[in-house]
Amino acid sequence: MNYYTYYEEEEEDVEEEEEMEETEEESEEGEEAEAELEAEEEAEEKQKSTVKQVQKSTAVTRVKEVKIVRVPFGIDKLDEALEGGIPKGSWVVVGGEPGTGKSIMAIHFAWKGLELGDKVIYVTTEQEFYDVIIQAKQFGMDFDEYNVFNLAEAIQWDRADREWTFEKPSKTPDIVVIDLFGLSRVARFALQEQLSSEKSKTTKTKKTYVPWSIDTLVFALDKAYELLEVEKGQHVRLIIDSMSTFWVDKPAMARRYSYQLKLAYHRSNITAFLTSQYAMTTKSMFGFGVEHIADVVMETWMSDIKTTKKLERYLAIKKARMTHIKHYLFRIDFKKEGNISKLILEPI
Ligand SMILES: Nc1ncnc2c1ncn2[C@@H]1O[C@H](COP(=O)(O)OP(=O)(O)OP(=O)(O)O)[C@@H](O)[C@H]1O
Ligand SMILES: [Mg+2]
């Protein structure tokens, strides 16, 4: 598999279209060929079932012989504006003011992925995943229907042996959760592994394993990639809400940390959704740099409520590589239908 390509060859679909052009005269031979094709398809399907699932379930844009596989957000008007979604393998950064809907967008992105058979890694630094589940339920999405594996809960202190242990799940989870409170436990486990490793005793480059450090995140992501067998081609949606946490005490490091993360974790089968907070003082992204590693950048903001006396939220698509942006400015709204809340993006 190529690392970091946004497209996959889709010979099958081309063949299917050619078949449709065939006339009825090409009867038996055509049928035999079709049967052969079907058999080949079936065999291939067995080998690459997960990859094919993603290809089938997402929109595609044709570029000569290759098609860009599009990964939808599950937010109607936004997907429409982006030719069906963002290219598979790309990284999206949504930055903006508090309360503008970034986390709710992240929830939609995760949910749509699960519906399409993708796996999800959900890093939540602002609220426990339990709160994410409650918020999602208000929007009619029940994450409890899926096999959720909280990485930190699998790390336990063994009293007898006086050490941290990590218990792998018995079957591959649908969602691997790395959450705020869990990160401190992940940090302690990572530190223990470092101390017990022979290599670390001889090398000078020790990692910094404190709960909010980028090293702890990297350690947790390594475990998550391993659990979800990312290297075997499984399409995974990686959500980090929010990145700003990792440079909370050193915003000047934002750019470096972002590059470090992308270099280590981008893959053609990883599509990432990262959020970034605004510094209310400057009304710009807190820490400079994360938007430069992104293939797609969106910004959310509120109108000046003191002037307008209305709560108006907006979203702009500022950059989207390999995509013709149909609409780039939206009004964000929350509507309630019965008990279910709905996030609505209306192009303006
Ligand atoms: N159940 C709900 N029904 C309707 N609207 C809701 C509901 N839950 C949240 N909201 C709206 O969504 C907003 C919060 O959105 P969200 O948590 O995604 O913001 P955010 O951009 O992630 O903010 P922050 O930067 O503080 O994390 C709330 O301010 C509220 O107006
Ligand atoms: Mg949020």
Side-chain angles (χ1 to χ4, degrees):
M1 172 175 301
N2 290 334
Y3 271 24
Y4 209 29
T5 51
Y6 299 91
Y7 51 81
E8 287 172 11
E9 287 187 30
E10 290 269 331
E11 286 162 28
E12 258 177 289
D13 284 3
V14 176
E15 281 166 11
E16 271 168 27
E17 271 167 33
E18 279 166 5
E19 275 167 39
M20 282 166 71
E21 280 163 20
E22 278 173 13
T23 51
E24 279 164 13
E25 304 143 31
E26 299 157 331
S27 54
E28 274 181 52
E29 242 184 84
E31 274 171 31
E32 264 177 47
E34 204 175 316
E36 254 176 50
L37 194 72
E38 268 174 28
E40 273 173 30
E41 267 179 19
E42 255 177 49
E44 207 183 333
E45 201 142 309
K46 274 180 195 155
Q47 283 176 353
K48 300 180 182 173
S49 60
T50 38
V51 176
K52 279 178 69 66
Q53 198 172 4
V54 172
Q55 288 173 347
K56 270 185 181 173
S57 55
T58 52
V60 286
T61 322
R62 192 175 290 263
V63 183
K64 289 185 184 162
E65 312 83 42
V66 293
K67 292 172 181 179
I68 292 179
V69 179
R70 302 231 163 236
V71 177
F73 286 89
I75 303 166
D76 296 345
K77 298 283 169 64
L78 186 61
D79 290 330
E80 263 173 60
L82 292 166
E83 299 189 82
I86 48 166
K88 183 180 165 194
S90 53
W91 285 42
V92 185
V93 170
V94 182
E97 292 180 42
T100 44
K102 302 182 296 295
S103 296
I104 291 171
M105 283 177 72
I107 289 171
H108 280 74
F109 185 74
W111 182 255
K112 188 68 187 172
L114 294 169
E115 279 187 337
L116 295 177
D118 297 340
K119 301 283 182 188
V120 171
I121 298 172
Y122 209 115
V123 182
T124 167
T125 66
E126 290 165 24
Q127 49 188 349
E128 281 186 76
F129 193 69
Y130 179 70
D131 294 329
V132 174
I133 289 181
I134 294 172
Q135 176 87 84
K137 276 190 180 150
Q138 294 182 326
F139 283 81
M141 304 174 238
D142 189 357
F143 283 95
D144 286 331
E145 287 171 14
Y146 290 91
N147 182 357
V148 180
F149 180 75
N150 193 319
L151 198 74
E153 281 171 15
I155 296 172
Q156 296 292 340
W157 176 248
D158 185 326
R159 279 170 186 239
D161 292 338
R162 301 195 54 76
E163 64 172 12
W164 292 97
T165 57
F166 176 64
E167 196 179 334
K168 283 190 177 175
S170 50
K171 68 175 219 195
T172 310
D174 300 312
I175 317 171
V176 176
V177 171
I178 300 164
D179 85 14
L180 171 79
F181 300 94
L183 281 178
S184 63
R185 202 182 293 172
V186 172
R188 275 176 273 172
F189 180 68
L191 193 64
Q192 174 186 281
E193 287 221 332
Q194 174 170 272
L195 291 173
S196 64
S197 123
E198 281 303 312
K199 206 171 148 213
S200 73
K201 285 175 190 158
T202 54
T203 52
K204 283 181 186 153
T205 50
K206 291 230 167 95
K207 306 254 191 272
T208 314
Y209 291 124
V210 293
W212 322 120
S213 80
I214 199 84
D215 286 335
T216 303
L217 176 66
V218 159
F219 181 89
L221 286 177
D222 279 340
K223 287 261 179 285
Y225 271 37
E226 194 188 313
L227 288 173
L228 297 179
E229 302 185 318
V230 165
E231 304 306 336
K232 288 190 183 165
Q234 168 67 53
H235 183 224
V236 174
R237 293 183 181 218
L238 167 64
I239 290 148
I240 306 180
D241 183 22
S242 87
M243 283 293 289
S244 310
T245 312
F246 298 100
W247 47 79
V248 71
D249 53 354
K250 37 192 162 186
M253 296 298 280
R255 195 181 168 100
R256 185 171 160 192
Y257 287 168
S258 306
Y259 273 108
Q260 184 186 342
L261 203 70
K262 188 157 184 194
L263 277 173
Y265 293 103
H266 74 260
R267 305 280 189 280
S268 59
N269 56 324
I270 296 285
T271 310
F273 182 107
L274 318 179
T275 69
S276 171
Q277 288 164 344
Y278 256 35
M280 290 312 287
T281 41
T282 58
K283 292 256 175 192
S284 60
M285 295 237 197
F286 174 68
F288 166 75
V290 67
E291 57 277 44
H292 292 285
I293 61 140
D295 307 293
V296 181
V297 175
M298 298 185 200
E299 191 174 326
T300 59
W301 71 95
M302 273 183 204
S303 60
D304 180 10
I305 201 161
K306 287 182 195 154
T307 316
T308 60
K309 312 276 189 302
K310 277 188 268 178
L311 188 59
E312 291 169 339
R313 304 177 185 85
Y314 297 95
L315 178 140
I317 304 172
K318 294 174 83 176
K319 155 171 138 183
R321 288 184 187 145
M322 280 173 250
T323 306
H324 169 74
I325 306 171
K326 204 165 127 200
H327 300 289
Y328 51 85
L329 191 60
F330 301 81
R331 181 84 189 268
I332 302 172
D333 218 346
F334 295 97
K335 292 228 164 81
K336 209 155 184 189
E337 289 166 12
N339 281 333
I340 304 294
S341 297
K342 210 167 164 13
L343 166 68
I344 294 164
L345 257 61
E346 204 53 59
I348 46 177

